[in-house]
Amino acid sequence: MRTRSRSLWPYLLIAPTVAGGAFLLLYPLLKAAVISFQHFRMGELIRGGAAFAGLENYAELLSGAEFWQVLLRTLVWTVINVVLIVVLGTGVALMLPRLRRGLRLALMSALALAWATPIIAATTVFQWLFQSELGVVNWLLVTLGLDSFRGYTWFADGTATFAVLVVLVVWQSVPFAALTLYAGLTTIPVELFESARIDGGTGRQVFTKVTFPMLRQLFALVASLEVIWVAKCFPQIWVLSQGGPDDATTTLPVYAFKIARVLHRYDLGSAVAMLTVVILAVALISNLRRMVRT
Amino acid sequence: MRHRILALAAVFALGACGTAEEPKAAAPAELTVWIMDGSVTQDLLKKFETEYEAAHRGIDLDIQIQAWDGIGERVTAALASTDAPDVIEVGNTQVAQYSASGGVTDLSAKVAELKGEDWLPGLAQPGRIDGKQYGIPWYAANRVVVYNKDLFAEAGVKEPPKTRDEWLEITEKLNQGGNQGIYLTGQTWYALAGFIWDEGGDLAVQEGGGWKGALDTPQALAGMDFYRRLQALGKGPKDADEANPPQHEVFAQGKVAQIIAVPGIAARVLEVDPKLKDKLGFFPIPGKTADKPGAVFTGGSDLIIPAASQRQEEAYELVKALAGEQFQTELAKAMSFVPNRTSLAGVLSGDEGTAAMAKGAAHGRATPNTPNWAAVEATSVIKQYMTAVLTGGDPAAEAKKVSEAITTTLNSGS
Amino acid sequence: MKRLLLNAAAVVVFAVTIFPVYWMFLTAFKPTRDIQADTPTFWPTAPTLDHFITAVNAPGFWTYWRNSLLVTAAAVLIALVVALLAAFAVSRMRWRGRGAFVVAVFAAQMAPWEALLVPVFIIARDTDLLDSLAMLTGVYFMITLPFTIVTLRGFLAAIPLELEEAAQVDGCSRPAAFRRVVFPLLAPGLMATSLFGFITAWNEFAFVNVLIIKDQDKRTLPVWLSSFRDVFGTDWGATMAAASLFALPVLLLFLFLQRSVGTGMTAGAVKG
């Protein structure tokens, strides 16, 4: 069906993308790759003259247990967040068109507000809401009769800190998923739904037989984007917990940051980044194949 | 890289003929200075700028106030750039890592001229690496106990405590009704460091060629135990530090009897509630015995000149003025700071807060002098250790864990 | 009953979504004394504009504001145009290398930007592009571009090709068919993507922190937003006031975009 032309047009259309990517992405990436094979630390950054170190950095990384633990933690972190985001996002997106105009606008504005709130500000607010002595969350829980939460220290316990971070990231990410899916819903011709209804489809059937297939691409897109973002999510974790307590919230980007920018071991940090890219690529390869086929 | 060589050449030239006069340029030479937010009041900076520019024809000062967030990376980037700011203020726990990087001008030849013989050790030592002086001491401050005189009177406490035991005793007395005896957050690790030093312990010790975390020694554990007992006499959150929420805002509510802070915090308290003006008292952190106040962490700043600064000589002149007697006196008075030289400490006697600080300053100590200490701070491992112990963790086990983490970080090559 | 449940759920979602934002605004209006009160107050009893005054009077506010707007708008607009071209080539044309291109674009989203900070810094330094807004714009453009292409491609793919073909059968040229039929349907997608790009670039701190060094007048708003913290701690009131002002342009953009695409959205809205 699609036109298969031998013309130059498609290449002209992608030329700006290719040019930008070559200078601003590929070049730095190659540089990072080179650094990962060098002895490159603060001194080398400032004075120049880094020495070739072969596979030393990779060996150091892969021989320790820490990297693998971090990897596993990142996986758990990503799965929990993405599942919550996609499920809640879909729920909200399906809810939106069914609401009365006023309520729908209110909800959409709330979503936009949450989305627009600067990451650092939102993180600060959450840190504050979950504070042990003056925090609103503990106050609310105690008021509701859960007395064990008086002075509860959310950031003392690894699991609790992890949970707070999940709440924060889900809260920040659902608006995008919901609004995007909702925008997608609005592109489905109304007739399709009407005919499905006339044919006696229940709400669930309409979703599985009409909505989902129509938006399959979009779902895949949202899900894979969230995978990438959640896996790469950094400022929230750093501000709230610096990866603690006891490394319970040290995901790959936090780990890379600690190595590269706290210890100034840019070489080892680049090695982490390179491995991250490879792992993400492998993890998403099936998805990529599907994207290419369509 | 050409610019590196040029910069190095400039440094050598400076060392060889330090007083060489440069021909006066027609256009004013702009000198960029980075000062941390909150270090110096706007008024004082403006006054300094005006006077300095009047005294040094052809110099145009561009004083840039730096925000704290991301400062480490910003300074690193500046040192690695080709056209760096000319003078940078850096924290005394941070200066070692920059000095070790090779991006900072060696000012060893200037120490005598800057009267380095009586610099505060807590500022001078971190600025010195392998016998070379890179960081020039600027100012220091150490923590004291700030208290609410009304609450002391209410509880019948007449005298500030002289020993740790007295301190616990009165704090318990103050911790009555709706009042908190002390608002000590769980992660005020500078205070913990003082308690550990009092017991004869340390945060980390040099051993052979490397460093070893020392929070698991009996002395350090005793320090932590005292911290735990003190912390329990108030409602300071166990999983936060003193900046979050800012403790002066909590103190200003008027229901907190004591906080541990630098005396300069008084101004902040009064900003929140001016009515507390005559109700603030200060005393040095008590030691184990009455004859000597507790050891304290000397916090403060050094000044560095990036090797990539293109005006090395002018930059040095500026450092000389900022670290000189006149500005030091003004700075200490305006900001309640300890000046960079012990012989200037006399300016502090006039004020209750700074007097208490000066008493403690005599027992000032610095964090372990290694470039990697900054990384220990940045990863918050000590803070997390404190929280773990305060929320019921086994002190010995937690201390062992954190000491190992510190050992690893300190010995990671840079 | 179902209606009631639906509305109840919507109200709960609304409350949870809005509360942190509300708390931010509320704090911005509270006097500092009340911010750390023992029992939280959920309504401003004595609202004050002090924090906003502090925030606006902070050094560089207007300059940073202008820089942010300039850099962000430029990055987003360039990314939209470039991405639309690429997305069109990918979803509506067949050509050799298309598959590889899609994979590359998709993979580009995984770019570990945090880790690219140092290489980008080195490149900027060695090409004399430190302290340059153009470099900053370039980086933001590149951060948002892959996402923009992928999303626009997704939206384009969701629009049945038959619609376009029908228009062509009706005598429209291909560009005209695209403009009249596809573009209006694409509007929500454009909205979502440009908003996303805007938010990403608007919030970015790590790169501006190291790419703009000596020339302070080229810094952007996130630097200002992070400036209400010093050795004594964060000034919550001022930070929240600053954050409220900081979020404003994004909100305005959202409202503006929503109205401009409103017709398209209501027309396509599914009736329940």
Side-chain angles (χ1 to χ4, degrees), chain A residues 2 11 98 221 225 232, chain C residues 3 91 96 109 111 150 153:
Chain A
R2 290 164 209 255
Y11 301 101
R98 292 175 172 75
L221 178 77
L225 284 176
K232 292 202 308 185
Chain C
R3 186 92 231 164
S91 66
R96 188 182 292 273
Q109 289 182 92
V150 170
R153 176 181 167 278

Side-chain angles (χ1 to χ4, degrees), chain B residues 305-374:
Chain B
I305 301 177
S309 152
Q310 295 179 344
R311 301 188 184 280
Q312 294 283 330
E313 253 173 78
E314 291 92 336
Y316 170 67
E317 283 303 315
L318 181 63
V319 167
K320 204 162 101 182
L322 287 169
E325 188 166 341
Q326 191 200 345
F327 186 69
Q328 282 292 315
T329 313
E330 288 174 19
L331 182 66
K333 280 188 183 148
M335 306 303 300
S336 304
F337 285 150
V338 182
N340 60 355
R341 290 165 48 206
T342 48
S343 59
L344 301 177
V347 299
L348 296 178
S349 57
D351 172 271
E352 195 188 341
T354 48
M357 178 168 70
K359 267 184 219 150
H363 305 278
R365 300 268 301 258
T367 49
N369 193 14
T370 149
N372 276 352
W373 183 258

Side-chain angles (χ1 to χ4, degrees), chain B residues 368-386:
Chain B
N369 193 14
T370 149
N372 276 352
W373 183 258
V376 174
E377 269 182 44
T379 46
S380 303
V381 283
I382 301 183
K383 292 180 175 181
Q384 287 164 8
Y385 155 66
M386 297 168 75

Side-chain angles (χ1 to χ4, degrees), chain B residues 69 74 80 246 253 268, chain C residues 33 125 209 214 229-230 236:
Chain B
D69 273 340
R74 205 147 63 235
Q253 303 284 328
R268 299 304 182 90
Chain C
R33 243 193 89 82
R125 177 184 73 187
N209 193 38
K214 205 172 164 185
R229 192 191 115 197
D230 64 14
W236 298 80

Side-chain angles (χ1 to χ4, degrees), chain B residues 182 184-186 226-234 236-238 390:
Chain B
I182 186 166
L184 179 59
T185 53
F226 177 74
Y227 190 98
R228 185 184 55 76
R229 284 159 69 196
L230 188 65
Q231 199 275 337
L233 300 173
K238 295 184 173 73
L390 294 174

Side-chain angles (χ1 to χ4, degrees), chain A:
Chain A
M1 291 292 282
R2 290 164 209 255
T3 37
R4 175 151 204 137
S5 63
R6 296 215 169 271
S7 79
L8 275 176
W9 270 111
Y11 301 101
L12 284 177
L13 290 178
I14 63 162
T17 306
V18 172
F23 179 65
L24 287 164
L25 188 55
L26 209 57
Y27 185 24
L29 211 55
L30 285 176
K31 214 147 193 148
V34 170
I35 289 175
S36 76
F37 292 107
Q38 285 177 328
H39 180 96
F40 195 105
R41 299 173 187 183
M42 197 177 183
E44 283 76 18
L45 172 65
I46 290 171
R47 297 186 307 258
F52 181 71
L55 290 170
E56 238 171 63
N57 296 309
Y58 290 96
E60 183 179 345
L61 206 58
L62 297 177
S63 62
E66 197 177 3
F67 178 74
W68 301 107
Q69 285 166 4
V70 169
L71 202 60
L72 182 67
R73 193 177 299 121
T74 311
L75 190 69
V76 173
W77 161 258
T78 310
V79 169
I80 294 181
N81 274 299
V82 171
V83 167
L84 284 172
I85 292 166
V86 171
V87 168
L88 291 174
T90 308
V92 174
L94 289 175
M95 186 194 270
L96 276 170
R98 292 175 172 75
L99 297 174
R100 261 167 313 174
R101 198 183 140 75
L103 197 52
R104 185 174 68 225
L105 277 182
L107 191 49
M108 283 179 72
S109 311
L111 290 170
L113 274 166
W115 194 20
T117 305
I119 292 177
I120 290 306
T123 309
T124 315
V125 169
F126 267 72
Q127 185 176 25
W128 192 12
L129 293 178
F130 283 94
Q131 218 162 62
S132 58
E133 297 293 340
L134 299 169
V136 174
V137 171
N138 280 353
W139 174 86
L140 185 73
L141 291 171
V142 170
T143 311
L144 290 175
L146 298 164
D147 235 22
S148 58
F149 281 98
R150 191 180 298 282
Y152 182 73
T153 44
W154 290 91
F155 301 114
D157 178 58
T159 319
T161 310
F162 196 92
V164 172
L165 279 166
V166 169
V167 172
L168 170 61
V169 169
V170 169
W171 180 82
Q172 283 178 322
S173 309
V174 162
F176 168 79
L179 290 175
T180 308
L181 289 173
Y182 174 67
L185 277 178
T186 61
T187 61
I188 298 179
V190 187
E191 296 74 33
L192 279 178
F193 287 98
E194 277 165 3
S195 57
R197 291 248 171 226
I198 292 165
D199 292 349
T202 63
R204 190 208 193 98
Q205 280 169 335
V206 172
F207 180 77
T208 50
K209 297 270 162 58
V210 180
T211 315
F212 190 75
M214 283 297 289
L215 296 182
R216 209 175 51 100
Q217 277 256 321
L218 200 55
F219 271 105
L221 178 77
V222 168
S224 46
L225 284 176
E226 295 295 351
V227 167
I228 293 168
W229 290 337
V230 170
K232 292 202 308 185
C233 157
F234 169 74
Q236 294 92 328
I237 304 180
W238 187 254
V239 170
L240 270 187
S241 71
Q242 290 94 39
D246 263 347
D247 284 343
T249 52
T250 301
T251 57
L252 264 177
V254 178
Y255 182 64
F257 182 90
K258 271 192 198 171
I259 289 176
R261 313 249 283 284
V262 174
L263 290 171
H264 297 287
R265 294 213 41 195
Y266 307 112
D267 44 11
L268 197 58
S270 295
V272 174
M274 289 299 129
L275 287 177
T276 312
V277 172
V278 171
I279 291 162
L280 265 178
V282 169
L284 289 167
I285 207 109
S286 60
N287 206 333
L288 282 177
R289 280 222 196 93
R290 200 176 315 133
M291 310 275 316
V292 179
R293 233 182 283 131
T294 49

Side-chain angles (χ1 to χ4, degrees), chain A residues 24, chain C residues 113 120 134-144 207 211:
Chain A
L24 287 164
Chain C
W113 283 101
V120 168
M135 182 70 193
L136 204 58
T137 309
V139 171
Y140 294 172
F141 154 74
M142 202 56 222
I143 293 179
T144 53
F207 277 92
L211 289 181

Side-chain angles (χ1 to χ4, degrees), chain C residues 4-167:
Chain C
L4 197 71
L5 223 63
L6 183 72
N7 284 341
V11 168
V12 169
V13 173
F14 173 79
V16 171
T17 309
I18 203 84
F19 183 75
V21 185
Y22 173 70
W23 195 245
M24 176 178 89
F25 283 122
L26 182 67
T27 308
F29 286 105
K30 272 185 188 174
T32 307
R33 243 193 89 82
D34 293 353
I35 291 177
Q36 305 298 347
D38 277 346
T39 36
T41 47
F42 295 95
W43 195 248
T45 40
T48 167
L49 285 176
D50 284 358
H51 301 309
F52 285 95
I53 293 168
T54 311
V56 171
N57 283 340
F61 175 65
W62 296 109
T63 327
Y64 294 173
W65 187 261
R66 196 202 59 209
N67 292 345
S68 265
L69 218 52
L70 204 71
V71 169
T72 309
V76 169
L77 287 180
I78 299 174
L80 268 188
V81 172
V82 171
L84 198 57
L85 298 179
F88 187 80
V90 166
S91 66
R92 291 290 195 260
M93 295 175 178
R94 283 227 172 261
W95 38 283
R96 188 182 292 273
R98 176 172 153 275
F101 179 75
V102 175
V103 172
V105 169
F106 206 88
Q109 289 182 92
M110 292 175 234
W113 283 101
E114 292 279 346
L116 293 185
L117 193 66
V118 171
V120 168
F121 169 80
I122 295 174
I123 291 168
R125 177 184 73 187
D126 296 347
T127 49
D128 257 335
L129 281 171
L130 284 179
D131 286 332
S132 147
L133 285 180
M135 182 70 193
L136 204 58
T137 309
V139 171
Y140 294 172
F141 154 74
M142 202 56 222
I143 293 179
T144 53
L145 180 65
F147 164 83
T148 315
I149 296 177
V150 170
T151 328
L152 287 184
R153 176 181 167 278
F155 275 100
L156 271 174
I159 297 169
L161 193 60
E162 291 76 22
L163 281 177
E164 210 179 325
E165 280 166 356

